[in-house]
Amino acid sequence: LLYERHGEPAAVVQLKDLELPELGDCDVHVKMLAAPINPADINMIQGTYPLLSPLPAVGGNEGVGEVLEVGRRVVALKPGDWVIPADAGLGTWRTWGVFPEEMLLKVPSDIPVLCAATLSVNPCTAFRLLADFESLVPGDSVIQNAANSGVGQAVIQIARASGIKTINVVRNRPDLPKLVERLMALGADHVITEEMLRKPEMKDIFKSIPRPRLALNCVGGKSTTEMLRHLQSKGTMVTYGGMAKQPVMVPVSAFIFRDVRLRGFWMTQWRKDHAWDQESVAAMMDALCQLIRRGQLTAPACTEVPLQDYRAALEDSMKPFVSSKQILLL
């Protein structure tokens, strides 16, 4: 799926036949199996993301493929192995590709294909958000908005496996009870609407669990300000997205009297910073794959779409209140 200019995805993305490049000594020939459509993919096509691929570009930053053939100097991969992108910008919305070995990470092929296809962005982001900003211990709590997003669902499950409680904020919507039920089934301790954040009933939640030391924000605007009010003194709020396209507003009193910390996180930057620290990357991947094998981390709610129906998938991925991730089957 190729785009030659930036613009609205359904208008600029086209299904094209391309010649496969020759397999070099350090290259790997991969048959792609499945690749999701993520918000960052859409923003890259629109030309609004901080990281843009040189045009013309193949869409998609995430997915899983099977190795078909390797160049004679490739050591870590062999035919039959499953691989995912080591970094953003690989261009995963394709049936086959030839990539340099260092652009791929091997993953176990005994995990479900949809888990592997959605492993490198959202679960990794959730893992780092929970690990890198506060030293959380069992019994601690975390509050997050957009809890039904791919990252949100992963945060719920990873936290649950570590004994950490989650307070999950979602936007009010027509099918709210169904969504609450789905997040509770994943292991959420509390699911509340943004309106609830301002209500006195919030105090009841903190009778049974401590106030959160960590808040995870991917919305911005009023939702963030309200969430911050419930953070412990010296707690940290990490912003990793801005779906409301509004700034993060913080009362001065929160800084002065409660000494809250505001941080930012971008998974792409973490990967750049740890490019030479393969141990950290391997430890994270290993921990996530163990959770998947134990049934403690599942793929987000997905809608599987054949590649030729890509236009409908792109349009559906941009609709509001869609809790299902579009996955292209390649």
Side-chain angles (χ1 to χ4, degrees):
L1 289 179
L2 199 73
Y3 56 101
E4 294 174 341
R5 60 189 171 88
H6 293 125
E8 279 316 296
V12 299
V13 173
Q14 293 175 311
L15 188 54
K16 289 229 168 138
D17 282 328
L18 300 175
E19 284 281 305
L20 263 184
E22 294 248 319
L23 186 74
D25 287 352
C26 300
D27 290 342
V28 181
H29 181 192
V30 176
K31 179 194 186 304
M32 292 303 298
L33 302 172
I37 300 175
N38 289 319
D41 303 330
I42 298 292
N43 296 150
M44 282 174 81
I45 297 164
Q46 291 166 331
T48 59
Y49 202 64
L51 177 87
L52 298 177
S53 300
L55 298 175
V58 176
N61 290 291
E62 188 179 34
V64 63
E66 182 183 342
V67 174
L68 295 181
E69 195 185 349
V70 299
R72 60 193 182 88
R73 291 172 63 188
V74 171
V75 288
L77 297 170
K78 62 183 189 305
D81 284 346
W82 277 14
V83 287
I84 62 173
D87 211 341
L90 190 69
T92 52
W93 300 348
R94 64 171 95 211
T95 48
W96 287 279
V98 172
F99 307 109
E101 180 185 14
E102 72 267 13
M103 291 176 77
L104 302 168
L105 278 179
K106 182 178 166 179
V107 292
S109 54
D110 64 347
I111 61 174
V113 72
L114 292 183
C115 288
T118 54
L119 181 61
S120 66
V121 177
N122 294 332
C124 290
T125 299
F127 186 91
R128 300 263 57 103
L129 289 170
L130 289 168
D132 293 355
F133 295 92
E134 287 282 345
S135 307
L136 299 171
V137 296
D140 281 346
S141 78
V142 171
I143 189 167
Q144 63 165 345
N145 54 24
N148 57 311
S149 67
V151 173
Q153 293 174 58
V155 163
I156 290 169
Q157 295 174 84
I158 296 168
R160 179 60 176 264
S162 314
I164 293 157
K165 310 286 183 193
T166 56
I167 303 160
N168 301 280
V169 186
V170 296
R171 285 183 297 175
N172 205 351
R173 65 194 63 212
D175 61 345
L176 184 66
K178 212 158 83 186
L179 175 61
V180 171
E181 194 182 322
R182 199 155 61 73
L183 296 182
M184 296 298 273
L186 287 180
D189 294 283
H190 298 275
V191 182
I192 59 174
T193 61
E194 292 186 336
E195 292 72 25
M196 213 11 229
L197 282 170
R198 292 187 276 287
K199 299 208 166 132
E201 295 91 294
M202 281 299 289
K203 288 197 181 74
D204 296 339
I205 290 178
F206 300 123
K207 284 176 184 163
S208 59
I209 63 173
R211 282 185 178 272
R213 287 171 45 197
L214 182 64
L216 306 175
N217 166 48
C218 84
V219 178
K222 198 186 282 184
S223 156
T224 309
T225 313
E226 295 298 338
M227 201 164 62
L228 196 68
R229 287 173 43 192
H230 302 292
L231 202 58
Q232 271 189 36
S233 283
K234 293 186 164 35
T236 304
M237 184 168 79
V238 187
T239 293
Y240 67 95
M243 283 157 50
K245 296 186 168 58
Q246 291 167 350
V248 171
M249 308 284 273
V250 183
V252 170
S253 60
F255 276 131
I256 299 173
F257 303 119
R258 290 174 40 235
D259 188 19
V260 298
R261 293 168 179 77
L262 262 61
R263 301 284 305 274
F265 181 77
W266 187 28
M267 191 66 217
T268 303
Q269 189 61 49
W270 188 91
R271 288 193 192 285
K272 278 198 184 76
D273 295 345
H274 293 79
W276 307 112
D277 175 14
Q278 283 312 301
E279 273 178 33
S280 293
V281 177
M284 170 174 69
M285 287 304 183
D286 191 44
L288 291 170
C289 289
Q290 294 280 16
L291 289 173
I292 291 167
R293 283 198 196 93
R294 291 202 294 261
Q296 293 177 304
L297 179 62
T298 57
C302 292
T303 305
E304 298 173 50
V305 184
L307 182 62
Q308 58 270 26
D309 298 340
Y310 72 93
R311 249 193 202 103
L314 285 168
E315 282 166 358
D316 286 347
S317 72
M318 296 170 71
K319 286 180 180 158
F321 298 125
V322 174
S323 290
S324 185
K325 194 179 279 293
Q326 304 292 311
I327 304 266
L328 298 168
L329 296 181
L330 307 162

